[in-house]
């Protein structure tokens, strides 16, 4: 659980004015690894009556400054999560379950890729999601 005080700091550090809407949206991202989309936030904030367009806009602006990370779940809508610690995901292509993992062997891979590349010198970031079947869906 992230505290209100920390959320206000995140906004301040990134140059945002602290508004109830921004705080409420950020608060929905209370878990370290739980990619969610605008619809999910919209439903969560039903009482606060936050406009869905505002949610889309806020998510984009949070992503632009690096508060949020876009996670490519290969679903119809864009999923985001807090960009706190470095990790990746396995996604079940049947039920959509998502699990995070922290094993990241990317340095080995980028070394090889750069050695073989005529056009690139440096890799600055990466994203990696794996797709498969969860244990429940395998026995179906
Ligand atoms: Zn995650
Ligand atoms: Zn599954
Ligand atoms: Zn990685």
């Amino acid at each position: 659980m992230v505290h209100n005080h920390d959320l206000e700091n995140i906004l301040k550090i990134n140059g945002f004015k602290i508004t109830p809407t921004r705080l409420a949206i950020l608060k929905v991202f209370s878990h370290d690894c739980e990619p969610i989309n605008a619809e999910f936030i919209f439903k969560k904030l039903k009482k606060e009556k936050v406009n869905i367009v505002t949610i889309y806009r806020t998510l984009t602006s949070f992503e632009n400054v690096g508060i949020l990370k876009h996670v490519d779940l290969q679903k119809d809508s864009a999923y985001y999560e807090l960009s706190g610690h470095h990790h990746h995901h396995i996604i079940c292509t049947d039920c959509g379950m998502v699990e995070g993992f922290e094993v990241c062997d990317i340095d080995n891979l980028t070394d090889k890729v750069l050695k073989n590349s005529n056009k690139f010198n440096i890799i600055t970031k990466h994203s990696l999601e794996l797709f498969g079947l969860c244990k429940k869906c395998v026995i179906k």
Side-chain angles (χ1 to χ4, degrees):
M1 189 65 211
V2 188
H3 295 285
N4 250 352
H5 171 77
D6 297 330
L7 297 179
E8 286 179 14
N9 265 338
I10 293 174
L11 290 176
K12 255 193 261 171
I13 290 165
N14 289 286
F16 288 104
K17 255 194 219 149
I18 296 163
T19 66
T21 304
R22 286 193 182 124
L23 270 182
I25 292 174
L26 203 50
K27 207 171 184 175
V28 182
F29 290 92
S30 53
H31 298 284
D32 232 358
C33 180
E34 192 195 14
I36 53 177
N37 63 1
E39 285 286 312
F40 180 89
I41 297 167
F42 182 69
K43 279 180 202 149
K44 276 263 162 166
L45 300 181
K46 217 167 206 165
K47 258 193 274 162
E48 287 85 344
K49 291 204 172 73
V50 181
N51 190 301
I52 187 97
V53 178
T54 308
I55 296 175
Y56 279 118
R57 245 190 254 134
T58 308
L59 291 177
T60 309
S61 63
F62 282 175
E63 190 201 357
N64 286 341
V65 298
I67 296 175
L68 295 180
K69 194 181 91 172
H70 176 243
V71 184
D72 182 14
L73 299 185
Q74 297 191 5
K75 292 184 186 174
D76 296 340
S77 56
Y79 281 70
Y80 300 89
E81 67 181 4
L82 290 175
S83 57
H85 73 286
H86 188 87
H87 68 281
H88 300 284
H89 304 94
I90 316 177
I91 299 108
C92 178
T93 51
D94 201 352
C95 72
M97 203 203 27
V98 178
E99 187 180 44
F101 64 92
E102 294 180 10
V103 186
C104 181
D105 203 13
I106 202 75
D107 290 344
N108 268 325
L109 180 65
T110 50
D111 280 353
K112 282 182 203 153
V113 170
L114 287 177
K115 245 174 231 159
N116 289 311
S117 170
N118 300 319
K119 298 184 172 117
F120 284 88
N121 238 334
I122 187 162
I123 303 293
T124 51
K125 61 177 182 177
H126 66 275
S127 77
L128 171 74
E129 321 306 336
L130 304 177
F131 295 84
L133 289 172
C134 74
K135 288 183 179 169
K136 270 188 200 152
C137 290
V138 151
I139 38 178
K140 249 189 231 166

